[in-house]
Every structure is written in structure tokens, then in C-alpha cells.
Amino acid sequence: RTSDVFTLEGLSVPDDLTQLTHLHEPAVLSSLQNRFDIDKIYTFTGPILIALNPFKLIPGLYDEEVLKSFITTKQNAVANSKPHVFNTSNAAYRGICDRQKSQTVLISGESGAGKTETTKHVMKFLALAGSEDGAVTNVEKQVLESNPLLEAFGNARTLRNDNSSRFGKFIELQFRSGQKAFEGMAGQNSRLCGARIRTYLLEKVRVCDQQEGERNYHIFYE
């Protein structure tokens, strides 16, 4: 049996599920539930990050100070060891800067799991990490501001989710290649310089007919 450890936050479980004494379904679900109860919605399972939708705002979870604390080249930094969407984003960013290799962040889950919001946080992190000493330029702003436009034409209210994405998308963020970036904010050679978004599998039938209780795409109500 996995030992119960209590901290000031309550019942605590490992940040990485691979550290559990017994790695089976009941232990995994119990650990996720215990972390969820103390607003720890992110949990590692090896290189995979599990995110639970809290259905509420958690103060300080996505503040700019928290985001900047994850922009680092030190793989053994304290912040770098914590399960967070910014941690996964930084791992991808360091792969671009240090190894000069294209990186992929795959975000999947059922309807209402939080894929759209997670994508926004990943893009926000990469836009700031790929900016010049934290100064967001028009390129970064245009990349971030593309999300509301995509949601207007591709998201709709369903029975399970008020902002459900009814299409798939592949977002490609482009960085300038060159020498390794210095520690902290990105240098000139690892700046975000553009983006390309490919959409596919758009639910076109929704334009003509919707299930009872659901709506058409947001753009028709704005």
C-alpha cells in the first residue's frame, strides 16, 4: 500500500505517478483524486503530463511570474521539476534551442477536458519564451490573438461543453535557428518569428443542423 503523507496542504502524493509503490488503476485514480482535492491539477506519469479540469479558477496558477519561473535552461531547477503545462512547454522550447530539433506537444482528451485552454497556455508560454528579453512584439501578439478567431468559426456549445472545438488543428510555431540561447529569456537566435495553423475535420453539418440543446458556431451569435 502506498504510504499516506500529510503536508500543510493536506494529503500529499508524488508529483510523478511512476513513483507510486503500486502502479495500478486504483492507486492512480486515488492519487489523482487526492491531488485534485488540494488544487494540484497537474501530475506527471513519466514524460506524460496529466491535467484535470478543475472547473474553476485557481489563483496564481498561470500568473506571468509563474510562467517566467519556468523559462530556464537549468534542467535541475526546482520549478523545472514540478508538473505544470509550462514545464512541458519549456521542455519543448529547450529542445528547439539546445538541440536545434523540431518539437511536438500533443494535447488530447475527451470533450470538456480542457484541450483548448491548455493549447492557449502552451502558445502563451512559447510566445513569451521566444520573445526578445520578454518584450512581446507584433509577431507574438498576432499568434496569440489568432485563438479567438479560430474559436469563433470552429467552436460551439454542445451538451457537454459550452466552448467545444468542433475541428482539429495543427499549430506550427516557427523560431529563428542559430546558436544556443542564453539562460533565461530567449536570445535573438531563438525568437518566435511566425506561425502556421492547419485546420481539418471541421464539423460542417453543424452549420445546417444542431442537436437539441446545442448551438451553431459562435460566430453566428457575435
Side-chain angles (χ1 to χ4, degrees), residues 17-157:
L17 295 179
T18 60
Q19 299 176 0
L20 292 174
T21 305
H22 302 289
L23 189 58
H24 48 62
E25 185 175 351
V28 169
L29 294 178
S30 176
S31 298
L32 292 176
Q33 179 66 60
N34 291 335
R35 292 180 63 81
F36 182 85
D37 291 341
I38 57 176
D39 290 341
K40 290 185 178 294
I41 62 172
Y42 292 112
T43 308
F44 277 130
T45 175
I48 301 172
L49 180 67
I50 299 175
L52 302 180
N53 191 339
F55 295 100
K56 66 177 181 179
L57 294 177
I58 300 179
L61 186 60
Y62 304 110
D63 288 350
E64 188 168 337
E65 293 75 15
V66 175
L67 187 153
K68 290 182 178 179
S69 71
F70 282 92
I71 305 178
T72 175
T73 59
K74 296 180 179 180
Q75 296 301 319
N76 59 348
V78 175
N80 204 267
S81 64
K82 296 181 179 179
H84 199 289
V85 64
F86 293 156
N87 192 332
T88 301
S89 303
N90 183 62
Y93 181 66
R94 295 318 317 163
I96 295 173
C97 296
D98 299 338
R99 296 188 294 277
Q100 298 290 302
K101 297 290 185 181
S102 297
Q103 304 291 309
T104 300
V105 178
L106 176 63
I107 302 173
S108 65
E110 63 178 8
S111 179
K115 299 183 295 295
T116 300
E117 292 302 313
T118 299
T119 301
K120 292 178 184 177
H121 292 308
V122 172
M123 293 181 65
K124 180 180 178 181
F125 180 94
L126 293 175
L128 182 59
S131 62
E132 185 176 6
D133 299 331
V136 179
T137 64
N138 288 332
V139 175
E140 288 86 23
K141 289 180 181 178
Q142 290 174 3
V143 170
L144 295 177
E145 290 174 357
S146 66
N147 273 312
L149 185 62
L150 286 174
E151 289 184 18
F153 285 93
N155 288 30
R157 187 180 72 184

